[in-house]
């Protein structure tokens, strides 16, 4: 049940409630009369179709009620109460309409997914919402449906999507459906980031040919399909500080062993080294 709407002019107040049940709704109206009024009228408008009489000159009770039941959803129902003591009229408006989805920007975008967001005005009816998305404006994929509050204020919805391709632009929109109909939000886009290329795999092996002034540094590299270079870093502490020249490690996916000879070392000094690619 929606909260009662109340509009007042002078001393007269028209109020009402809208109750929805599936594809139908009931409207209960009540008002207080102006104390010195001798004539009253109640009129009704559906959408913008003009005013029609419901009651004319009802008894001037202190409080009067009227039930307008079994109405079809998908329309705006407006009522006005007038008395001979009023120039203006009081109005009460009730609606149960197609939902209004608003697509909002995606967040938490990674190389394989993101979170889609939207706002759903349920139009006063029990409503389901979901997102449609895909690599073109034709969309083609959808998230699971989720229930949305049946109030006429916008409710936030979101859904995480995964399994996307980095660097590919994706289109998406919020969608909502209730007894009154289905509505699509505007189409927005987002682009998952390009995945980082694989890094080479390296293994440092034991040095060989160690003398008082030099050694042969050894290691292996797998380029993992990306054009790569390798070199050795070494030094008298774990900070290293020296390096050999860079050499090609190819671009294949096979592990190869490499070595480089170094000289000019100090006998009795411990040296640290590693292969880098």
């Amino acid at each position: 049940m929606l909260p009662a709407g109340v509009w007042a002019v002078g001393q007269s107040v028209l109020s009402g409630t809208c109750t929805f049940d599936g594809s139908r709704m009931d409207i209960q109206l009540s008002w207080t009369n102006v104390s010195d009024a001798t004539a009253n009228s109640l009129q009704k408008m559906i959408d913008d179709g003009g005013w029609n009489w419901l009651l004319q000159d009802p008894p001037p009770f202190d409080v009067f009620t009227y039930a307008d039941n079994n109405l079809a959803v998908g329309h705006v129902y407006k009522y006005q109460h007038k008395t001979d003591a009023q120039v203006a009229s009081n109005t009460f408006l009730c609606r149960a309409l197609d939902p209004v989805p608003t697509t909002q920007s995606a967040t938490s975008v990674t190389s394989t997914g993101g979170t889609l967001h939207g706002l759903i005005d349920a139009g006063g009816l029990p409503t389901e919402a979901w997102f449609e998305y895909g690599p073109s404006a034709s969309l083609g994929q959808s998230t699971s449906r989720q229930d949305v509050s049946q109030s006429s204020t916008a409710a936030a919805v979101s859904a995480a999507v995964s399994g996307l391709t980095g660097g590919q632009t994706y289109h998406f929109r919020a969608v909502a459906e209730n007894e009154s109909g289905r509505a699509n939000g505007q189409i927005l886009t987002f682009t998952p980031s390009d995945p980082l290329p694989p890094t080479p795999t390296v293994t440092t092996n034991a040095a060989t040919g160690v003398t008082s002034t030099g050694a042969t540094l050894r290691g292996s590299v797998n380029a993992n399909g990306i054009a790569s270079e390798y070199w050795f870093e070494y030094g008298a502490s774990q900070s290293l500080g020296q390096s050999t020249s860079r050499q090609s490690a190819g671009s294949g996916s096979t592990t190869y062993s490499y070595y480089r000879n170094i000289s000019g070392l100090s006998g009795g000094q411990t040296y640290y080294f590693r292969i880098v690619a």
Side-chain angles (χ1 to χ4, degrees), residues 36-52:
D36 58 351
T38 59
N40 296 273
S41 66
L42 180 65
Q43 295 174 297
K44 171 183 176 180
M45 178 188 295
I46 302 177
D47 299 324
D48 294 319
W51 292 105
N52 294 293

Side-chain angles (χ1 to χ4, degrees), residues 1-2 18-21 121-127 148-153:
M1 178 178 293
L2 294 181
C18 307
T19 304
F20 302 97
D21 180 14
D121 181 342
L125 291 173
T127 298
V148 179
S149 168
Q150 68 185 63
S151 71
S152 293
T153 57

Side-chain angles (χ1 to χ4, degrees), residues 193-262:
S193 56
D194 283 320
L196 295 175
T199 58
T201 302
V202 298
T203 301
T204 303
N205 298 322
T208 61
V210 179
T211 68
S212 61
T213 59
T216 299
L217 309 183
R218 295 185 178 275
S220 61
V221 177
N222 186 325
N224 290 324
I226 302 296
S228 303
E229 293 181 326
Y230 79 92
W231 64 97
F232 289 91
E233 295 177 339
Y234 64 98
S237 72
Q238 293 189 38
S239 298
L240 305 176
Q242 295 177 270
S243 62
T244 64
S245 60
R246 294 183 176 222
Q247 302 291 320
S248 173
S251 58
S253 298
T254 301
T255 300
Y256 291 99
S257 296
Y258 298 100
Y259 69 91
R260 296 303 302 276
N261 295 319
I262 58 173

